[in-house]
Amino acid sequence: MTPGSTSLFVITVGFASSLLLSSSSAFHINPISPSRQRRCSAYASTPSSAENQSQDMDDINARLTKLGLELPPAGAPKANYQLLHRDGDLLYLSGHLPMKADGTLVVGACAPKEIADTSDTYLTTEQGYEAAQHCALNLLSTLQSYLESQGSDLSNVSKVIKLFGIVRSHSDFIEQHLVMNGASDVIGKVLGKEVGGSHARSAIGTNTLPLGIAVEVEMIAKIKSSIN
């Protein structure tokens, strides 16, 4: 053994021992504190509250009447796709257009008020909001049509999970989120807060949309597992 090798051996053994101690402590899991549990629970889904809703179609129709709204006839795809695809208890609805009850579409791009007020080709935020409302009614109509084909109705929607909205926009328009409130508000008021009003959502702007429409909205919804 050369001079100085003894101290090197001691240091090496000591270092290895500290590694063993630190690695063994890595497997010790500290319990989650109550405050952290409360923070985590804020992001947890609550399907049980939606599943236990006792509303029926009469309740939904009563809300529609109170709001002065009416579901339009169910539409048809405008190209090579399906309006709705089911995967288990999840329903994926394609982008729906702002079609009015008379079959006309809300067209145009949303723009800042000072621009929209001086041009017939642009819409205000409020007009975009109304267009998004029409999208929501058409989404609900498609849902109702599908559920009726399964011997059910809108009362068997347990949760609207997410909306995705695309707003045709002037380059200076930045209120896409306010336009999309039109869709969120209708779905929440018609289906109720727990089922329709607590969804996730995205809203983006684009320079053009098919057929010149102002807004397009997609939906993901969950239905009760009792529906075949």
Side-chain angles (χ1 to χ4, degrees), residues 13-162:
V13 171
F15 180 70
S17 299
S18 65
L19 281 178
L20 287 172
L21 288 171
S22 61
S23 62
S24 63
S25 63
F27 293 96
H28 176 69
I29 301 175
N30 293 321
I32 299 176
S33 65
S35 60
R36 186 179 177 189
Q37 287 178 340
R38 287 193 295 271
R39 289 198 300 271
C40 293
S41 66
Y43 299 95
S45 60
T46 54
S48 58
S49 62
E51 292 282 0
N52 293 331
Q53 293 295 306
S54 59
Q55 68 175 351
D56 58 24
M57 198 60 200
D58 288 339
D59 298 318
I60 293 172
N61 284 329
R63 294 193 196 109
L64 285 166
T65 300
K66 184 177 180 179
L67 294 167
L69 300 175
E70 184 178 352
L71 294 184
K78 304 300 182 185
N80 187 21
Y81 63 93
Q82 296 298 315
L83 287 180
L84 182 151
H85 174 77
R86 180 176 178 178
D87 184 3
D89 58 0
L90 293 178
L91 302 180
Y92 296 83
L93 281 73
S94 300
H96 278 54
L97 314 185
M99 183 176 289
K100 301 179 182 179
D102 62 5
T104 61
L105 293 169
V106 180
V107 298
C110 292
K113 183 174 176 59
E114 61 272 17
I115 296 174
D117 285 346
T118 60
S119 174
D120 293 335
T121 60
Y122 290 108
L123 306 176
T124 63
T125 299
E126 292 74 21
Q127 290 170 318
Y129 178 97
E130 292 177 7
Q133 286 182 311
H134 288 296
C135 292
L137 289 171
N138 282 284
L139 284 164
L140 292 173
S141 180
T142 295
L143 271 179
Q144 173 70 353
S145 177
Y146 171 76
L147 291 169
E148 283 182 344
S149 73
Q150 306 299 304
S152 184
D153 54 45
L154 285 175
S155 66
N156 281 291
V157 175
S158 64
K159 179 72 75 175
V160 174
I161 296 174
K162 184 174 182 179

Side-chain angles (χ1 to χ4, degrees), residues 168-184:
R168 186 179 171 198
S169 306
H170 184 278
S171 58
D172 292 332
F173 186 72
I174 57 173
E175 294 186 334
Q176 290 82 4
H177 58 299
L178 300 181
V179 168
M180 268 300 294
N181 280 348
S184 294

